[in-house]
Amino acid sequence: MIENSMFEEEPDVVDLAKEPCLHPLEPDEVEYEPRSSRLLVRGLGEHEMDDDEEDYESSAKLLGMSFMNRSSGLQNNMSVYRQNPNGSCSVPSTRTMVVCTVVFVIAFSLIIVIYLLPKCTFTKEGCHKKNHTMELIYPLATNGKVFPWAKIRLPPDVIPLHYDLVLQPNLTTLKFSGSVKIVVNILHVTRKIVLHSSGLNITKATITSAQGHQAEPVEFLEYPLHDQIALMAPEALLAGQNYTVNMEYSSNLSDTYYGFYKISYKDENSKQRWFAATQFEPLAARSAFPCFDEPSFKATFLIKIKRDEKLSTLSNMPKKATTPVTNGVVQDEFFVSLKMSTYLVAFVVADLKNISRETNGTLVSVYAIPQHVNQVGYALDTAVKLLEFYQKYFLMKYPLEKLDLVAIPDFQSGAMENWGLITFRETTLLFDNNTSSAKDKKLVTAVIAHELAHQWFGNLVTMEWWNDLWLNEGFATFMEYFAMEEVFPELHSDEDFLNLIFKAMMKDSLNSSHPVSSAVQSSEQIEEMFDTLSYIKGASLLLMLKHYLTKDVFQAGIEVYLHNHNYRTAQSDDLWDSMNEITNGTLDVKKMMKTWIVHKGFPLVTVVRKGKIISVQQEKFLYRVEPENWTSDASYLWHIPLTYITNRCNFTHCTNAYLLDQKSAVIELPEEVEWIKFNVDMNGYYIVHYAEDWKILIDLLKKNHTALSPKDRANLINNIFNLARLGRESLEKAFELIDYLNKENCTAPLTQALFQLSLIYNLLDKKGEQQLAGRVMHRIEHLLGDKIDQQHWTDDGTLSERELRSTLLAFACTHDIRNCRTTATEMFETWMKSNGTISLPSDVMKAIFAVGAKSNDGWEFLLKMYSSSVSEAEKSKMIKALASTEDARKLIWLMQNSLEGEIIRSQELSHIIATVSQSLPGYLLAWDFVKENWEKLTRKFHLGSYTIQNIISWSTSQFATKTHLLEVKSFFESKSEESSQLRCVKEAIDTIQLNIQWMDRNLAKLQELL
């Protein structure tokens, strides 16, 4: 995190080209030393710069901060003019006049100096001259000397080849020490080696040449703003030569979820134990060992860990040897790794148990703390099946001899794909037959499928830079759902993916959205790339491409991509080039897919049918709030692989395709049809407006809804409500379309209808329109009441039926529909009287707990059971129930306790805030909590992280008044520039504005409609 305190002393910029050098630099570099020694300005010729690599923004920030500090100082000095009680101004003292004169002279001198810089204008991009050379501003290291590198990205003149890493964590003192030897290769003559280090106390640094036998001590400089250190060689490092960098250091085990961090948990005897684990993606390997912490700097790793002999260690590779060090301490050495990026390095030190199974020469093991090892069986079975599937599909064997899956007691993410050592949150790996529901089984399966896909997409082939994160995450998400359909068809995972696509499109329809592939530099920008668009939109585009190319062509393209880039890095164009090798000129995949990667948002396709002639037209789908707040879409043109079905050829027989690569086109059908439905099964990433044909589709759903697939029905519900929100269709027509739902039995359309109606209900509820909100709920009860009554409070039926039961009963109990709360209360009281010893049906446990938590006794009992339960699936349901209480004091205590991580782990905080913010008593409390604890939250979870994105989104998404809009804007504007410029903050503001706009447009209409 960047601290303003680094700039308490203002840097000056001057031009003294003839002063002697402070540090040896490259032979062709011109150096300028400032009088104050605060900054170094260096001239660079055009030929030395690569636009994509430059980071002038950091330089501009240094200047900007300097000017801001001066302005602040001048403001403070104005306070010397004080007003007398009678209203007149007192004459300033002589001392005051002298101080003011000095300040004025300094300010005037600074302006003159900047003006006299040779035809140089400072902008955000840097210092521009007429001859197109630029001036980079070099900052100071922590020791006051000039740091020889100004960019966020590391210089390309040195690359790492191999790391020897030795670590000794102490789980008593909660510190660790380490040493690292890095073999580097010099690409261009240099006297500096710049690499990453964050929060490490480096005590020794040396460099040894390949021929040399003597390690030369070197000066090292630190620049914490960019997490960089520079080793200054006593003589030039020669191109083509290898050198060994050796460093010794120490640090504390982190108390955040990043780097090498500590975890506290209770063992079977309720005794506190410590656990150390790593989470390096995206930028935290540097906080465990000095390294070249960028994805393109791949190298091999030899890791040794010293540990207490009673504990065990795991790392990416199998263990090679264990040797004694001192009494009670041993050292584990692991085999040398494959070539990989630093963010994939991992190690765990803990007391763990495991079960294992071998498949195709790979030993698959699942680890957990001892009291949870009886819950890892399902994960092992699932991992083995998925590993076998991926190896067959990719025609490429998993390259390691072992694959470990480890359940971490406190873990921010769902899981992390470290090569050979995948780490998981306990709820995403453990499955308890007694308390895990159908949804829990689907979650565990999905996360394992995602992380195993990463072993190829991300680990074997890695994105070159974080702008193409979607190549990792989009591919892993696509393969996750594809593999589940192939290996576990009974889970109906395609319906979950459909709902995720709908939610991604909500985010992507805002003007604050971003292209899937976006330029990023700062740590906050990189963190923010881990969002719904990189994961879900990226996966959706691959799904669309797969259906257009056909599955065989798509699979062959993937094989080419993996083969051409294994153990290396890739960009988006490399994937499209691989696909083009297979299409062989019949389709330019790159030309088509670039329109989806470089544009933010998605198209709205309007369909007009006249006899056999179908006119189609595309435009950008965008919620426009204020004229000055949206981007022109005139240049947006997607190449859209349209698909459609008609009554002559429905989903059970055939699907037609048409590539719309113009603004509009005409499709001529062979014959007239009764109806036409575009975007078959929602396999395309676009919304369709049927103009006059909506009435025909509404009638079709009423008369014969099974003429369309469940996904097509869900797609129609989603599209018409989004069009109503856009103002292109009436809300009345949207409500008319869902009138058929009393005949619906499938999860996807029912879930989508509940989601859309809940959005409306929540806005009305928080706006104080309780009577109208009640009428919305009455409409839902009219449509789904009979279906709710038909649900059994058991775990019987198919997985799909069980999941629908869980959804309907949880909704009904939350909103007190039919007799849901009566039944749930009876079951909860029986369970409470047994002191939690009797088993509750896992699929309805969430509904039962939520109702039980509404009473004070029930809430206290749930909290007690939460503290003693060994089932993570059960605890997850309990925490959501605890957060659904209407008692404000309990909600505040719950959020505060989770932030502190004492009884409730901090990993649960974003889920707690999400639940609290949905209720009328809680939504203002959630926002107040975020405001009051913003600094603590961003220290714990990091600016831009997925957790912070979710916390901001959930705590503000229910606001629909101008007062709240102003409050949210003002709050973030009062924070650091890094906070106020977060994309998720802009999305939150867009969302509130849209809520206000929706209420203005529809409140009166709803009064009439309901």
Side-chain angles (χ1 to χ4, degrees):
M1 189 170 177
I2 299 173
E3 297 287 345
N4 282 341
S5 59
M6 290 183 183
F7 302 99
E8 285 175 352
E9 295 178 354
E10 307 92 278
D12 294 323
V13 181
V14 296
D15 183 6
L16 288 179
K18 297 180 181 179
E19 290 294 314
C21 295
L22 290 177
H23 289 287
L25 298 172
E26 314 311 333
D28 61 343
E29 292 172 338
V30 182
E31 183 181 320
Y32 300 86
E33 182 189 353
R35 282 194 183 93
S36 66
S37 296
R38 286 295 297 169
L39 292 173
L40 179 70
V41 181
R42 183 175 68 185
L44 294 177
E46 285 182 277
H47 63 282
E48 296 176 273
M49 291 179 295
D50 179 347
D51 290 341
D52 292 334
E53 299 294 325
E54 299 302 330
D55 175 36
Y56 303 114
E57 186 172 355
S58 60
S59 303
K61 281 183 179 176
L62 290 171
L63 276 178
M65 185 60 67
S66 169
F67 298 145
M68 282 190 287
N69 285 349
R70 283 193 180 82
S71 299
S72 173
L74 288 170
Q75 283 183 337
N76 291 338
N77 286 333
M78 291 296 289
S79 65
V80 299
Y81 292 92
R82 302 193 184 277
Q83 198 172 42
N84 288 333
N86 62 7
S88 64
C89 291
S90 62
V91 177
S93 66
T94 303
R95 180 178 176 276
T96 299
M97 291 295 293
V98 170
V99 170
C100 290
T101 302
V102 171
V103 169
F104 175 81
V105 169
I106 291 172
F108 180 79
S109 302
L110 179 67
I111 293 169
I112 293 298
V113 167
I114 293 175
Y115 177 79
L116 292 176
L117 281 173
K119 297 179 182 178
C120 175
T121 304
F122 283 98
T123 68
K124 187 176 182 181
E125 289 74 29
C127 172
H128 297 263
K129 295 183 185 179
K130 283 189 177 179
N131 64 0
H132 299 296
T133 60
M134 293 188 182
E135 301 290 342
L136 278 182
I137 302 170
Y138 278 70
L140 288 187
T142 52
N143 63 358
K145 294 186 178 181
V146 175
F147 192 81
W149 191 248
K151 306 171 198 172
I152 292 177
R153 301 275 302 265
L154 295 178
D157 48 9
V158 180
I159 58 171
L161 303 177
H162 176 77
Y163 293 79
D164 277 358
L165 177 62
V166 181
L167 287 165
Q168 184 166 5
N170 187 319
L171 296 189
T172 302
T173 64
L174 303 178
K175 300 177 183 293
F176 70 94
S177 59
S179 66
V180 64
K181 291 182 181 178
I182 313 173
V183 179
V184 299
N185 179 253
I186 309 300
L187 300 184
H188 306 288
V189 176
T190 184
R191 287 188 172 179
K192 66 180 184 297
I193 297 177
V194 181
L195 65 162
H196 289 111
S197 174
S198 177
L200 301 176
N201 177 29
I202 299 172
T203 54
K204 181 181 178 184
T206 63
I207 294 179
T208 310
S209 67
Q211 295 79 23
H213 303 290
Q214 186 69 33
E216 299 277 349
V218 293
E219 178 185 22
F220 67 91
L221 306 173
E222 297 178 279
Y223 185 49
L225 183 61
H226 290 169
D227 290 342
Q228 290 173 358
I229 57 173
L231 307 183
M232 308 306 298
E235 56 189 31
L237 305 175
L238 303 179
Q241 296 295 310
N242 289 353
Y243 295 83
T244 300
V245 174
N246 185 12
M247 281 175 279
E248 296 176 5
Y249 61 94
S250 62
S251 188
N252 296 322
L253 290 170
S254 172
D255 56 4
T256 71
Y257 290 105
Y258 297 87
F260 194 17
Y261 73 101
K262 61 180 184 281
I263 300 153
S264 168
Y265 70 96
K266 299 284 181 66
D267 65 14
E268 303 101 315
N269 302 315
S270 297
K271 181 182 177 183
Q272 185 185 46
R273 302 291 300 274
W274 288 98
F275 188 123
T278 57
Q279 171 59 43
F280 289 162
E281 190 180 31
L283 308 172
R286 63 192 68 174
S287 64
F289 58 101
C291 58
F292 295 78
D293 200 11
E294 294 179 10
S296 61
F297 287 116
K298 290 193 170 188
T300 56
F301 295 81
L302 172 61
I303 295 174
K304 300 176 183 177
I305 299 177
K306 298 173 183 176
R307 47 121 180 143
D308 188 308
E309 61 184 358
K310 296 175 184 176
L311 301 174
S312 56
T313 59
L314 298 170
S315 188
N316 304 84
M317 300 301 291
K319 196 173 294 182
K320 181 180 180 181
T322 299
T323 55
V325 178
T326 58
N327 288 339
V329 177
V330 297
Q331 177 176 279
D332 292 327
E333 178 180 345
F334 299 88
F335 284 99
V336 176
S337 76
L338 300 178
K339 195 175 179 183
M340 63 182 182
S341 304
T342 47
Y343 77 86
L344 293 170
V345 174
F347 27 89
V348 171
V349 182
D351 179 15
L352 295 168
K353 302 292 182 186
N354 72 288
I355 61 173
S356 304
R357 188 184 310 162
E358 188 171 339
T359 176
N360 295 331
T362 297
L363 184 66
V364 181
S365 304
V366 185
Y367 288 82
I369 56 176
Q371 61 262 45
H372 288 160
V373 75
N374 62 337
Q375 300 176 42
V376 302
Y378 177 74
L380 181 61
D381 292 340
T382 301
V384 168
K385 289 177 184 176
L386 287 166
L387 187 64
E388 291 169 351
F389 168 77
Y390 284 138
Q391 291 181 118
K392 289 176 184 175
Y393 184 79
F394 299 139
L395 294 180
M396 188 174 287
K397 190 178 183 302
Y398 172 73
L400 303 183
E401 293 179 5
K402 66 97 173 176
L403 175 63
D404 296 335
L405 294 79
V406 186
I408 307 290
D410 200 9
F411 196 75
Q412 182 181 351
S413 307
M416 176 60 208
E417 67 268 19
N418 316 298
W419 215 351
L421 178 60
I422 308 175
T423 46
F424 292 77
R425 185 182 285 218
E426 289 182 319
T427 49
T428 61
L429 189 66
L430 305 180
F431 184 85
D432 177 37
N433 289 322
N434 296 320
T435 58
S436 295
S437 65
K439 285 186 177 181
D440 295 327
K441 176 174 279 192
K442 193 180 283 191
L443 173 66
V444 171
T445 309
V447 176
I448 294 173
H450 184 98
E451 302 309 327
L452 262 62
H454 268 310
Q455 305 304 297
W456 286 266
F457 291 100
N459 299 7
L460 186 67
V461 181
T462 311
M463 81 264 136
E464 187 171 300
W465 180 244
W466 301 105
N467 63 300
D468 275 330
L469 176 68
W470 84 274
L471 280 177
N472 280 21
E473 298 301 348
F475 244 121
T477 304
F478 167 77
M479 290 306 305
E480 161 191 344
Y481 288 100
F482 175 68
M484 287 174 71
E485 282 185 62
E486 295 291 315
V487 183
F488 305 98
E490 71 279 3
L491 294 179
H492 297 282
S493 59
D494 55 333
E495 295 179 352
D496 296 293
F497 189 34
L498 185 68
N499 285 321
L500 289 174
I501 295 171
F502 290 148
K503 290 176 183 175
M505 293 179 89
M506 285 184 69
K507 178 186 176 87
D508 205 15
S509 62
L510 302 175
N511 194 53
S512 50
S513 181
H514 65 91
V516 167
S517 182
S518 300
V520 291
Q521 287 283 349
S522 72
S523 60
E524 294 84 15
Q525 291 170 344
I526 291 168
E527 291 271 13
E528 283 206 288
M529 287 302 289
F530 290 81
D531 69 355
T532 305
L533 300 183
S534 293
Y535 285 72
I536 310 303
K537 182 177 180 179
S540 304
L541 300 182
L542 293 171
L543 176 70
M544 182 171 67
L545 182 62
K546 170 178 168 281
H547 279 278
Y548 189 63
L549 295 179
T550 73
K551 62 180 183 180
D552 292 337
V553 172
F554 181 80
Q555 183 178 357
I558 286 178
E559 291 167 9
V560 170
Y561 173 73
L562 289 174
H563 181 268
N564 287 351
H565 301 283
N566 61 61
Y567 301 106
R568 295 196 294 276
T569 57
Q571 301 177 0
S572 295
D573 280 354
D574 295 319
L575 175 62
W576 313 139
D577 290 339
S578 297
M579 294 292 176
N580 278 340
E581 285 188 37
I582 306 301
T583 59
N584 198 25
T586 57
L587 173 70
D588 189 342
V589 176
K590 182 188 290 187
K591 184 178 180 182
M592 171 181 153
M593 294 308 295
K594 277 181 95 68
T595 67
W596 295 91
I597 296 299
V598 302
H599 291 332
K600 66 181 181 180
F602 55 87
L604 167 62
V605 177
T606 301
V607 176
V608 177
R609 180 170 64 96
K610 291 183 180 177
K612 295 190 297 181
I613 302 301
I614 310 295
S615 299
V616 291
Q617 181 176 327
Q618 67 162 293
E619 61 188 290
K620 185 178 180 181
F621 186 101
L622 177 66
Y623 293 124
R624 292 173 181 152
V625 182
E626 298 170 355
E628 70 274 12
N629 199 37
W630 59 271
T631 308
S632 171
D633 59 358
S635 63
Y636 278 51
L637 178 71
W638 287 269
H639 290 194
I640 312 171
L642 298 175
T643 56
Y644 60 92
I645 53 173
T646 70
N647 62 292
R648 299 287 186 182
C649 177
N650 64 24
F651 70 96
T652 57
H653 295 101
C654 63
T655 298
N656 300 282
Y658 180 87
L659 184 64
L660 178 62
D661 56 3
Q662 301 296 325
K663 282 288 185 184
S664 60
V666 172
I667 303 170
E668 186 173 354
L669 302 178
E671 56 187 332
E672 288 195 26
V673 295
E674 294 176 19
W675 55 263
I676 188 167
K677 161 71 174 66
F678 275 79
N679 201 359
V680 180
D681 282 343
M682 185 64 195
N683 288 328
Y685 193 73
Y686 56 95
I687 278 179
V688 183
H689 179 29
Y690 293 95
E692 300 305 316
D693 267 19
W694 273 115
K695 188 175 186 314
I696 292 169
L697 291 169
I698 289 169
D699 290 340
L700 175 65
L701 290 175
K702 287 178 180 176
K703 293 172 185 175
N704 181 22
H705 68 283
T706 56
L708 298 173
S709 71
K711 287 195 281 189
D712 273 332
R713 303 197 294 270
N715 177 224
L716 288 176
I717 294 169
N718 172 270
N719 282 193
I720 199 165
F721 273 94
N722 276 302
L723 289 165
R725 195 170 289 114
L726 193 66
R728 296 288 284 268
E729 262 305 339
S730 68
L731 201 56
E732 182 179 7
K733 195 170 285 184
F735 274 93
E736 191 181 349
L737 184 138
I738 60 173
D739 276 341
Y740 90 96
L741 282 177
N742 52 13
K743 297 182 288 187
E744 183 62 79
N745 292 308
C746 293
T747 304
L750 286 170
T751 302
Q752 181 57 204
L754 280 177
F755 176 75
Q756 296 294 343
L757 293 171
S758 293
L759 288 177
I760 296 171
Y761 171 84
N762 285 332
L763 281 180
L764 294 170
D765 189 42
K766 309 308 184 297
K767 181 80 172 180
E769 297 284 347
Q770 273 74 36
Q771 186 180 13
L772 194 53
R775 280 149 65 182
V776 172
M777 203 51 61
H778 180 74
R779 184 68 170 260
I780 295 173
E781 184 173 358
H782 172 72
L783 290 172
L784 302 179
D786 291 343
K787 201 164 303 301
I788 290 168
D789 287 341
Q790 293 164 11
Q791 302 305 311
H792 303 293
W793 293 74
T794 67
D795 288 337
D796 298 335
T798 65
L799 281 171
S800 187
E801 290 169 344
R802 292 172 59 190
E803 190 171 9
L804 179 59
R805 176 189 304 137
S806 186
T807 299
L808 287 176
L809 290 179
F811 184 87
C813 282
T814 298
H815 297 287
D816 199 11
I817 295 176
R818 299 295 172 99
N819 295 319
C820 188
R821 287 191 180 177
T822 303
T823 307
T825 300
E826 291 172 359
M827 296 182 76
F828 182 84
E829 288 178 351
T830 303
W831 178 71
M832 189 164 64
K833 285 174 184 174
S834 76
N835 203 29
T837 56
I838 67 167
S839 295
L840 291 172
S842 59
D843 293 327
V844 295
M845 192 182 285
K846 179 181 174 183
I848 295 168
F849 286 165
V851 172
K854 293 191 178 299
S855 72
N856 185 63
D857 289 345
W859 196 91
E860 296 291 347
F861 182 74
L862 270 177
L863 181 61
K864 185 185 84 169
M865 293 302 294
Y866 174 86
S867 303
S868 60
S869 175
V870 294
S871 166
E872 292 302 315
E874 185 177 54
K875 291 174 79 167
S876 177
K877 297 175 184 66
M878 287 175 176
I879 204 69
K880 288 174 183 172
L882 290 168
S884 66
T885 179
E886 297 179 357
D887 187 322
R889 288 173 299 176
K890 288 183 169 64
L891 294 175
I892 294 168
W893 179 89
L894 202 61
M895 291 186 287
Q896 193 62 48
N897 191 276
S898 181
L899 178 58
E900 293 163 2
E902 293 176 2
I903 298 173
I904 297 158
R905 294 195 180 282
S906 297
Q907 68 179 14
E908 306 294 346
L909 182 57
S910 64
H911 303 296
I912 291 171
I913 290 174
T915 304
V916 170
S917 66
Q918 296 304 293
S919 70
L920 184 59
Y923 84 111
L924 294 177
L925 293 175
W927 170 237
D928 286 343
F929 175 81
V930 171
K931 287 189 297 181
E932 290 165 11
N933 294 279
W934 179 249
E935 281 70 27
K936 290 180 182 178
L937 289 168
T938 52
R939 273 199 303 272
K940 185 74 177 176
F941 300 112
H942 286 206
L943 270 181
S945 68
Y946 198 64
T947 301
I948 290 294
Q949 292 177 47
N950 282 336
I951 286 172
I952 292 173
S953 173
W954 281 114
S955 63
T956 60
S957 62
Q958 304 292 306
F959 293 158
T961 66
K962 290 181 180 178
T963 302
H964 281 134
L965 174 63
L966 180 61
E967 184 180 331
V968 172
K969 280 183 173 180
S970 300
F971 172 75
F972 286 110
E973 285 170 0
S974 72
K975 299 302 170 186
S976 67
E977 182 184 355
E978 289 78 15
S979 295
S980 62
Q981 293 304 309
L982 288 175
R983 191 185 296 120
C984 54
V985 170
K986 297 175 183 177
E987 288 168 5
I989 291 168
D990 276 0
T991 300
I992 299 169
Q993 289 174 321
L994 286 170
N995 290 345
I996 295 169
Q997 184 184 83
W998 190 93
M999 293 295 290
D1000 290 344
R1001 282 182 182 173
N1002 295 293
L1003 194 57
K1005 294 177 185 176
L1006 278 172
Q1007 296 279 6
E1008 296 174 12
L1009 192 58
L1010 300 173

